[in-house]
């Protein structure tokens, strides 16, 4: 049974032909029916977390590789062949990188086009119009006026 932190190889259909190419993936989550994986590449032009054989708990890499936390893939476990496993310390870095990436995507899609420089007393981020209302109400409250 495969688990989070395992490195697997998958035969993947490549192009329009009936050619298959091996893809190397790191399992990010193994709790569902399918495995959530991040692509691994040896191409240095991609951003990601670099790792070597020193970061492996078992198995061997041919060369230094990069985990691409922004490039995820969901695949059934039965299509995967385990080839290695990363150490807990490196897995922690990968999962933190994935969390940071997901938070940035969320912020970019829900907050980046709005004016969000104000934080209310409750800690909620609000837009400019709502913050004026909050400021007015808090001033009235401090003067002893109940609203």
């Amino acid at each position: 049974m495969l688990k989070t932190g395992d490195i697997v190889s998958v035969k993947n259909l490549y192009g329009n032909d009936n050619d298959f190419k091996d893809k190397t993936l790191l399992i990010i989550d193994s709790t569902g029916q399918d495995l959530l994986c991040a692509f691994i590449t040896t191409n240095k032009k991609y951003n990601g977390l670099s790792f070597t054989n020193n970061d492996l708990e078992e198995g061997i890499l041919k060369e230094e590789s990069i985990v691409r936390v922004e490039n995820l893939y969901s695949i059934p476990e039965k299509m995967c062949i385990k080839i290695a496993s990363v150490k807990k310390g490196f897995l922690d870095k990968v999962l933190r990188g994935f969390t940071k990436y997901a938070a940035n995507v969320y912020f970019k899609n829900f907050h980046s086009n709005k004016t969000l420089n104000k934080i209310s007393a409750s800690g909620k981020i609000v837009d400019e119009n709502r913050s004026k209302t909050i400021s007015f109400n808090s001033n009235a409250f401090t003067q002893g006026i109940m609203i």
Side-chain angles (χ1 to χ4, degrees), residues 16-138:
N16 294 332
D17 302 329
N18 287 332
D19 292 334
F20 286 88
K21 183 176 180 181
D22 286 337
K23 289 286 187 186
T24 307
L25 309 168
L26 174 66
I27 299 174
I28 299 292
D29 183 31
S30 60
T31 56
Q33 286 184 328
D34 290 342
L35 303 172
L36 180 63
C37 303
F39 275 99
I40 296 177
T41 185
T42 56
N43 193 332
K44 305 289 189 251
K45 75 176 184 179
Y46 293 107
N47 291 329
L49 296 165
S50 179
F51 69 108
T52 64
N53 284 320
N54 294 334
D55 297 306
L56 297 181
E57 195 170 277
E58 61 180 89
I60 296 174
L61 292 172
K62 293 179 185 175
E63 60 184 295
E64 183 177 347
S65 299
I66 297 170
V67 176
R68 298 179 60 201
V69 294
E70 82 288 350
N71 197 346
L72 301 178
Y73 196 70
S74 179
I75 190 162
E77 183 174 351
K78 65 184 177 184
M79 293 180 65
C80 301
I81 299 169
K82 182 178 175 179
I83 57 175
S85 181
V86 297
K87 291 179 180 176
K88 294 287 184 193
F90 183 73
L91 180 60
D92 181 60
K93 287 180 188 176
V94 170
L95 295 175
R96 288 176 186 270
F98 172 70
T99 303
K100 182 178 177 181
Y101 171 74
N104 286 335
V105 168
Y106 173 80
F107 183 81
K108 183 171 66 173
N109 285 294
F110 291 100
H111 297 295
S112 65
N113 294 329
K114 300 175 186 175
T115 305
L116 295 172
N117 296 329
K118 304 289 183 175
I119 300 178
S120 68
S122 66
K124 293 180 182 176
I125 299 174
V126 294
D127 64 87
E128 191 68 32
N129 292 331
R130 177 78 177 120
S131 67
K132 288 178 185 174
T133 306
I134 291 170
S135 297
F136 173 77
N137 290 345
S138 63

